PDB file of all heavy atoms in Angstrom:
ATOM      1  N   LEU A1119     253.841 253.687 151.897  1.00  0.00           N
ATOM      2  CA  LEU A1119     253.825 254.436 150.689  1.00  0.00           C
ATOM      3  C   LEU A1119     254.929 253.866 149.776  1.00  0.00           C
ATOM      4  O   LEU A1119     256.089 253.798 150.203  1.00  0.00           O
ATOM      5  CB  LEU A1119     254.059 255.891 151.032  1.00  0.00           C
ATOM      6  CG  LEU A1119     254.244 256.869 149.806  1.00  0.00           C
ATOM      7  CD1 LEU A1119     252.954 256.996 149.037  1.00  0.00           C
ATOM      8  CD2 LEU A1119     254.684 258.218 150.301  1.00  0.00           C
ATOM      9  N   PRO A1125     258.348 257.224 133.170  1.00  0.00           N
ATOM     10  CA  PRO A1125     259.291 256.816 132.078  1.00  0.00           C
ATOM     11  C   PRO A1125     260.413 257.855 131.896  1.00  0.00           C
ATOM     12  O   PRO A1125     260.184 259.095 131.894  1.00  0.00           O
ATOM     13  CB  PRO A1125     258.398 256.724 130.886  1.00  0.00           C
ATOM     14  CG  PRO A1125     257.061 256.380 131.455  1.00  0.00           C
ATOM     15  CD  PRO A1125     256.956 257.222 132.762  1.00  0.00           C
ATOM     16  N   ASN A1132     258.560 252.600 132.451  1.00  0.00           N
ATOM     17  CA  ASN A1132     259.595 252.540 133.487  1.00  0.00           C
ATOM     18  C   ASN A1132     259.201 251.358 134.375  1.00  0.00           C
ATOM     19  O   ASN A1132     258.109 251.420 134.957  1.00  0.00           O
ATOM     20  CB  ASN A1132     259.667 253.802 134.317  1.00  0.00           C
ATOM     21  CG  ASN A1132     260.882 253.847 135.197  1.00  0.00           C
ATOM     22  OD1 ASN A1132     261.156 252.761 135.909  1.00  0.00           O
ATOM     23  ND2 ASN A1132     261.564 254.946 135.412  1.00  0.00           N
ATOM     24  N   GLY A1147     248.719 242.500 155.383  1.00  0.00           N
ATOM     25  CA  GLY A1147     247.863 243.309 156.266  1.00  0.00           C
ATOM     26  C   GLY A1147     248.151 244.805 156.249  1.00  0.00           C
ATOM     27  O   GLY A1147     247.470 245.575 156.822  1.00  0.00           O
ATOM     28  N   ALA A1148     249.203 245.211 155.485  1.00  0.00           N
ATOM     29  CA  ALA A1148     249.529 246.622 155.351  1.00  0.00           C
ATOM     30  C   ALA A1148     248.769 247.256 154.203  1.00  0.00           C
ATOM     31  O   ALA A1148     248.651 246.642 153.174  1.00  0.00           O
ATOM     32  CB  ALA A1148     251.059 246.812 155.208  1.00  0.00           C
ATOM     33  N   ILE A1150     248.710 249.625 151.149  1.00  0.00           N
ATOM     34  CA  ILE A1150     249.714 250.009 150.163  1.00  0.00           C
ATOM     35  C   ILE A1150     249.191 251.247 149.401  1.00  0.00           C
ATOM     36  O   ILE A1150     248.198 251.184 148.721  1.00  0.00           O
ATOM     37  CB  ILE A1150     250.124 248.905 149.241  1.00  0.00           C
ATOM     38  CG1 ILE A1150     250.510 247.652 149.983  1.00  0.00           C
ATOM     39  CG2 ILE A1150     251.203 249.385 148.257  1.00  0.00           C
ATOM     40  CD1 ILE A1150     251.669 247.802 150.927  1.00  0.00           C
ATOM     41  N   GLU A1154     253.379 257.943 141.699  1.00  0.00           N
ATOM     42  CA  GLU A1154     254.329 258.092 140.643  1.00  0.00           C
ATOM     43  C   GLU A1154     255.180 259.388 140.886  1.00  0.00           C
ATOM     44  O   GLU A1154     254.616 260.442 141.190  1.00  0.00           O
ATOM     45  CB  GLU A1154     253.635 258.204 139.240  1.00  0.00           C
ATOM     46  CG  GLU A1154     254.640 258.213 138.080  1.00  0.00           C
ATOM     47  CD  GLU A1154     253.916 258.145 136.806  1.00  0.00           C
ATOM     48  OE1 GLU A1154     252.775 258.656 136.709  1.00  0.00           O
ATOM     49  OE2 GLU A1154     254.472 257.650 135.798  1.00  0.00           O
ATOM     50  N   PRO A1156     258.260 262.078 139.449  1.00  0.00           N
ATOM     51  CA  PRO A1156     258.939 262.477 138.225  1.00  0.00           C
ATOM     52  C   PRO A1156     260.476 262.186 138.302  1.00  0.00           C
ATOM     53  O   PRO A1156     261.089 262.373 139.341  1.00  0.00           O
ATOM     54  CB  PRO A1156     258.726 264.037 138.201  1.00  0.00           C
ATOM     55  CG  PRO A1156     258.478 264.367 139.601  1.00  0.00           C
ATOM     56  CD  PRO A1156     257.789 263.260 140.265  1.00  0.00           C
ATOM     57  N   ILE A1231     266.923 245.415 155.437  1.00  0.00           N
ATOM     58  CA  ILE A1231     267.346 245.200 154.030  1.00  0.00           C
ATOM     59  C   ILE A1231     267.832 243.724 153.802  1.00  0.00           C
ATOM     60  O   ILE A1231     267.522 243.186 152.705  1.00  0.00           O
ATOM     61  CB  ILE A1231     268.419 246.195 153.616  1.00  0.00           C
ATOM     62  CG1 ILE A1231     269.670 246.103 154.488  1.00  0.00           C
ATOM     63  CG2 ILE A1231     267.874 247.597 153.537  1.00  0.00           C
ATOM     64  CD1 ILE A1231     270.817 246.975 153.971  1.00  0.00           C
ATOM     65  N   ILE A1238     263.049 237.789 149.176  1.00  0.00           N
ATOM     66  CA  ILE A1238     262.944 237.749 147.730  1.00  0.00           C
ATOM     67  C   ILE A1238     263.596 236.445 147.189  1.00  0.00           C
ATOM     68  O   ILE A1238     263.003 235.832 146.251  1.00  0.00           O
ATOM     69  CB  ILE A1238     263.612 238.945 147.147  1.00  0.00           C
ATOM     70  CG1 ILE A1238     262.819 240.278 147.510  1.00  0.00           C
ATOM     71  CG2 ILE A1238     263.624 238.928 145.563  1.00  0.00           C
ATOM     72  CD1 ILE A1238     263.550 241.529 147.208  1.00  0.00           C
ATOM     73  N   SER A1242     262.529 232.582 144.856  1.00  0.00           N
ATOM     74  CA  SER A1242     263.197 232.124 143.603  1.00  0.00           C
ATOM     75  C   SER A1242     263.495 233.296 142.667  1.00  0.00           C
ATOM     76  O   SER A1242     263.481 233.084 141.412  1.00  0.00           O
ATOM     77  CB  SER A1242     262.409 230.994 142.886  1.00  0.00           C
ATOM     78  OG  SER A1242     262.290 229.894 143.732  1.00  0.00           O
ATOM     79  N   LEU A1266     264.153 264.041 154.665  1.00  0.00           N
ATOM     80  CA  LEU A1266     262.907 264.339 155.155  1.00  0.00           C
ATOM     81  C   LEU A1266     262.588 263.596 156.460  1.00  0.00           C
ATOM     82  O   LEU A1266     262.001 264.197 157.365  1.00  0.00           O
ATOM     83  CB  LEU A1266     261.813 264.046 154.095  1.00  0.00           C
ATOM     84  CG  LEU A1266     261.819 264.943 152.859  1.00  0.00           C
ATOM     85  CD1 LEU A1266     260.848 264.310 151.801  1.00  0.00           C
ATOM     86  CD2 LEU A1266     261.417 266.325 153.150  1.00  0.00           C
ATOM     87  N   LYS A1291     269.536 246.054 123.108  1.00  0.00           N
ATOM     88  CA  LYS A1291     270.684 246.259 124.068  1.00  0.00           C
ATOM     89  C   LYS A1291     271.373 244.889 124.239  1.00  0.00           C
ATOM     90  O   LYS A1291     270.993 244.099 125.104  1.00  0.00           O
ATOM     91  CB  LYS A1291     270.253 246.853 125.462  1.00  0.00           C
ATOM     92  CG  LYS A1291     269.636 248.218 125.322  1.00  0.00           C
ATOM     93  CD  LYS A1291     269.211 248.722 126.729  1.00  0.00           C
ATOM     94  CE  LYS A1291     268.683 250.082 126.682  1.00  0.00           C
ATOM     95  NZ  LYS A1291     267.334 250.216 125.971  1.00  0.00           N
ATOM     96  N   ALA A1293     273.288 241.697 125.194  1.00  0.00           N
ATOM     97  CA  ALA A1293     273.927 241.094 126.435  1.00  0.00           C
ATOM     98  C   ALA A1293     273.566 241.984 127.673  1.00  0.00           C
ATOM     99  O   ALA A1293     274.415 242.088 128.545  1.00  0.00           O
ATOM    100  CB  ALA A1293     275.365 240.942 126.273  1.00  0.00           C
ATOM    101  N   ILE A1302     259.197 241.065 138.986  1.00  0.00           N
ATOM    102  CA  ILE A1302     259.474 242.291 139.710  1.00  0.00           C
ATOM    103  C   ILE A1302     258.364 242.572 140.667  1.00  0.00           C
ATOM    104  O   ILE A1302     258.657 242.950 141.881  1.00  0.00           O
ATOM    105  CB  ILE A1302     259.694 243.499 138.782  1.00  0.00           C
ATOM    106  CG1 ILE A1302     260.919 243.275 137.911  1.00  0.00           C
ATOM    107  CG2 ILE A1302     259.812 244.768 139.475  1.00  0.00           C
ATOM    108  CD1 ILE A1302     261.174 244.302 136.795  1.00  0.00           C
ATOM    109  N   THR A1307     256.548 242.630 146.318  1.00  0.00           N
ATOM    110  CA  THR A1307     255.561 242.145 147.328  1.00  0.00           C
ATOM    111  C   THR A1307     256.293 241.387 148.449  1.00  0.00           C
ATOM    112  O   THR A1307     255.968 241.574 149.581  1.00  0.00           O
ATOM    113  CB  THR A1307     254.604 241.230 146.620  1.00  0.00           C
ATOM    114  OG1 THR A1307     253.849 241.926 145.564  1.00  0.00           O
ATOM    115  CG2 THR A1307     253.543 240.627 147.589  1.00  0.00           C
ATOM    116  N   GLU A1318     263.261 244.395 163.296  1.00  0.00           N
ATOM    117  CA  GLU A1318     264.730 244.505 163.261  1.00  0.00           C
ATOM    118  C   GLU A1318     265.253 243.643 162.106  1.00  0.00           C
ATOM    119  O   GLU A1318     264.614 242.641 161.781  1.00  0.00           O
ATOM    120  CB  GLU A1318     265.316 244.061 164.582  1.00  0.00           C
ATOM    121  CG  GLU A1318     264.803 244.873 165.785  1.00  0.00           C
ATOM    122  CD  GLU A1318     265.305 246.331 165.780  1.00  0.00           C
ATOM    123  OE1 GLU A1318     266.351 246.574 165.140  1.00  0.00           O
ATOM    124  OE2 GLU A1318     264.562 247.166 166.424  1.00  0.00           O
TER     125      GLU A1318
END
Side-chain angles (χ1 to χ4, degrees):
L1119 175 66
N1132 187 319
I1150 308 301
E1154 188 175 27
I1231 59 174
I1238 295 169
S1242 300
L1266 291 171
K1291 297 179 176 69
I1302 295 174
T1307 300
E1318 302 291 334

